[in-house]
Amino acid sequence: MLACWVEDPNGDAFKKHIARLPDYLWISEDGMTMQSAAGSQLWDAVFSIKALLATDLIEETCSTLAKAHDFVKKTQV
């Protein structure tokens, strides 16, 4: 999706990706939920952490970042 957006933010390929977002991201009773490929949880977590850090909203996301840090530590091989 990101590659399609960089190529043409108004293009059909990007619009098709946007249409599929609800298949992968949704709000559940626990908050934002994401469907990912099997075995990619660590990658997904790390990319999400990087995105949160890039927002400069450290204070607002502090507890989430702490939980993410704990998850990364526990899943290291």
Side-chain angles (χ1 to χ4, degrees):
M1 183 169 78
L2 180 59
C4 290
W5 177 80
V6 168
E7 185 175 290
D8 183 3
N10 298 311
D12 288 337
F14 179 67
K15 290 176 184 175
K16 288 178 182 177
H17 280 285
I18 290 294
R20 296 294 310 272
L21 273 179
D23 295 336
Y24 297 96
L25 297 171
W26 65 93
I27 301 295
S28 70
E29 62 189 33
D30 297 328
M32 179 64 80
T33 305
M34 179 174 74
Q35 174 67 34
S36 64
S40 69
Q41 293 87 359
L42 181 58
W43 279 89
D44 294 339
V46 171
F47 286 128
S48 298
I49 292 166
K50 288 181 66 72
L52 288 172
L53 291 172
T55 66
D56 274 340
L57 298 172
I58 305 297
E59 294 295 325
E60 291 86 343
T61 60
C62 185
S63 65
T64 300
L65 288 169
K67 290 176 186 176
H69 180 250
D70 187 54
F71 174 78
V72 170
K73 285 191 318 186
K74 288 178 179 176
T75 57
Q76 291 298 300
V77 177

